[in-house]
């Protein structure tokens, strides 16, 4: 068996820079599956930090080829997630059965009238108001939870680095402005706003975008890692027309990536849902300065055709292959996926979004085994 | 004032024109069923544009909203005029342990606009509730949604229970991660990627041309 000649960090940096590597970067988002792998309930995983971290450690011990940790749990961990998480969370052991997957309840926590408030107070201040409403907690509880979340993030970072893994991203900076509004307003209300009060959105989207850029700059300085997660889902071509994309999504994503590139910050554009219709757009973003992460819905092979040599692409073994297919079917897909990309074309091998909590263990093994079978270049 | 083309206004999602058109036709004594027919024809136009790739999910959500607002204006008039004629019945719900409702709601609205009676069971629906609804409503189609991979097994159990209760039951499934593999796994008769695939499948099953 050939041996690694690069560190995990060297491998991920080279991949983003579209340079050759010794083997493919292996960067699945493990999250709640770790608890199932370790034999604990999801209640224990979501409510007991030490058990959660030990479960993650066990996955890595079993599959040390997992070399880049795309960690997310610090923002969902129940004691903080229910005070400052992305939305109202139902958790195993409290609102749900002990081994259930956590769920985000989407509702209109931000009203249309709040647009004026956001314009007046600025996004960061408004965001705190939103979190108070979404979680039905006080401002003090929100800010205390945010501090705790930052402490937990640092703990995930420290543990990841101690294992010799790289950090896929230093911080999760939230989402592009379109998604920020959509999640705060709820998807149906926000799409209606897009049709009915687009002019107001034209004024507000830059405010949110600038706040996101400033946040990325601050957090990368603080953490000493220049990669940030920036999510995008609801502005995908699966959901909105090109006309709306060109007005409400594309320009802001472009500004965001360009401004971050000027500051040597690499956004990992975590694009869930189907972006196949938007793939040409990503050619407008600066070459080698961002990662496009897709979740199994976007045609990653089409993405390769259009974007190879332009940006790193992260993805995308679909959830169904982990949960209802056989291990051999997953292996077949992994082979096609890994071998489609040539060395130096910037591929990061990953799950499509999170590795499902109820993934079959033999399929997860097949996922990791595929790295050595098909992803070795030396 | 020129007469508003309700079909065109509905298809083009011109909310103000749709509401004004409905009000003026009601005031002029046009039967509510006839107005509803125009709105449904407009929704068919929306469906065609969606199938052609000119409309997207956001347009579907908007169309459902416009249709809902217009239908609300017709409500009392429709009640006075008796029951609406339906082309078939679907029992629909998001399976147990999953609370996602956006996709389900769109399917419900679009099917209703296309003349189906939809018995919407809501989200996090226990297996027994699906079974009871199938026995009570004798639907042509049962629709199940989920967004969580952890709901696949519940969906499979629900499909089995529904089929055990009614051997002729036809079950269609859908939702973000639901693909052909999942459809096969849960024992469904079909997988619908979007609301209009559901309409097409239901029309076929109900024998509507």
């Amino acid at each position: 068996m050939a041996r690694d000649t690069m560190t995990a960090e060297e491998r991920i940096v080279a991949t983003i820079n579209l340079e050759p590597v010794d083997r493919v970067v292996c960067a699945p988002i493990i999250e709640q599956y770790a608890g199932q792998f370790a034999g604990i309930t999801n209640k224990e995983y979501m409510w007991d930090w030490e058990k959660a971290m030990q479960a993650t450690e066990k996955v890595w011990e079993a599959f040390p080829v997992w070399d880049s940790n795309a960690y997310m749990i610090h923002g969902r961990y129940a004691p903080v997630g229910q005070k400052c998480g992305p939305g109202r969370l139902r958790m195993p052991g409290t609102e749900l059965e002990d081994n259930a997957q956590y769920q985000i309840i989407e509702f209109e926590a931000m009203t249309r009238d709040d647009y004026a408030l956001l314009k007046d107070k600025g996004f960061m201040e408004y965001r705190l108001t939103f979190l108070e409403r979404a979680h039905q907690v006080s401002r003090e509880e929100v800010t205390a939870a945010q501090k705790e979340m930052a402490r937990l993030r640092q703990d995930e970072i420290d543990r990841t680095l101690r294992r010799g893994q790289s950090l896929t991203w230093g911080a999760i900076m939230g989402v592009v402005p379109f998604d920020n509004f959509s999640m705060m307003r709820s998807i149906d209300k926000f799409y209606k706003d897009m049709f009915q009060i687009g002019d107001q959105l034209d004024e507000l989207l830059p405010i949110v975008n600038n706040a996101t850029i400033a946040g990325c700059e601050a957090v990368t300085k603080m953490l000493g890692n220049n990669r940030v997660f920036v999510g995008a889902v609801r502005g995908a071509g699966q959901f909105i027309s090109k006309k709306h994309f060109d007005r409400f999504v594309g320009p802001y994503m472009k500004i965001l990536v360009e401004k971050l590139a000027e500051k040597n910050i690499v956004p990992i554009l975590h694009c869930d849902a189907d972006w196949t219709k938007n793939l040409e757009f990503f050619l407008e973003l600066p070459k080698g300065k961002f990662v496009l992460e897709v979740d199994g819905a976007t045609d990653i092979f089409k993405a390769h055709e259009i974007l190879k040599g332009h940006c790193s692409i992260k993805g995308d073994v679909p959830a169904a292959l982990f949960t209802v297919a056989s291990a051999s079917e997953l292996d077949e897909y992994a082979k096609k996926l890994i071998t489609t990309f040539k060395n130096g074309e910037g591929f990061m091998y990953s799950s499509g979004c999170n590795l499902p909590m109820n993934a079959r263990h033999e399929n997860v093994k097949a996922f990791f085994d595929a790295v050595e079978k098909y992803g070795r270049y030396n | 004032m020129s007469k508003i083309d309700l079909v065109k206004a509905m298809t083009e999602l011109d909310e103000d024109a749709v509401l004004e058109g409905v009000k003026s036709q009601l005031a002029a004594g046009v039967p509510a069923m006839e107005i509803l027919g125009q709105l449904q024809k407009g929704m068919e136009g929306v469906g065609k544009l969606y199938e052609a790739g000119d409309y997207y999910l956001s347009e579907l959500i908007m169309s459902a909203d416009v249709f809902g607002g217009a239908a609300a204006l017709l409500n009392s008039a429709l009640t006075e005029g008796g029951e609406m004629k339906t082309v078939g019945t679907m029992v629909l719900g998001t399976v147990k342990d999953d609370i996602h409702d956006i996709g389900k709601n769109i399917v419900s609205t679009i099917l209703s606009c296309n003349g189906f009676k939809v018995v919407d069971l809501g989200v996090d629906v226990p297996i027994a509730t699906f079974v009871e609804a199938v026995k009570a409503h004798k639907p042509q189609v049962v629709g199940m949604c989920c967004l969580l991979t952890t709901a696949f097994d519940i969906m499979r159990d629900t499909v089995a229970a529904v089929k055990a209760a009614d051997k002729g039951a036809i079950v269609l499934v859908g939702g973000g991660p639901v693909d052909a593999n999942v459809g096969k796994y849960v024992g469904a008769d079909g997988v619908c990627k979007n609301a209009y695939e559901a309409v097409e499948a239901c029309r076929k099953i109900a024998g509507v041309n």
Side-chain angles (χ1 to χ4, degrees), chain B residues 36 39-48 51 60 63 67 84-88 106-118 195-196 198-200 202-203 206 208-209:
Chain B
L36 183 71
L39 292 171
Q40 287 178 329
K41 205 164 177 192
M43 285 299 283
E44 283 174 24
V46 170
K48 282 178 187 153
E51 283 163 14
L60 293 195
S63 72
F67 185 93
M84 270 175 63
K85 193 182 165 198
T86 58
V87 295
I106 292 169
V107 170
S108 175
T109 304
I110 302 293
L111 271 171
S112 300
C113 298
N114 279 273
F116 282 85
K117 176 186 172 190
V118 179
Y196 279 97
V199 170
E200 198 177 324
C202 288
R203 285 173 71 89
V208 182
N209 292 323

Side-chain angles (χ1 to χ4, degrees), chain A residues 59-75:
Chain A
V59 175
W60 177 79
E61 283 168 0
F63 306 108
V65 74
W66 171 31
D67 66 339
S68 189
N69 186 12
Y71 50 85
M72 300 188 88
I73 192 64
H74 60 274

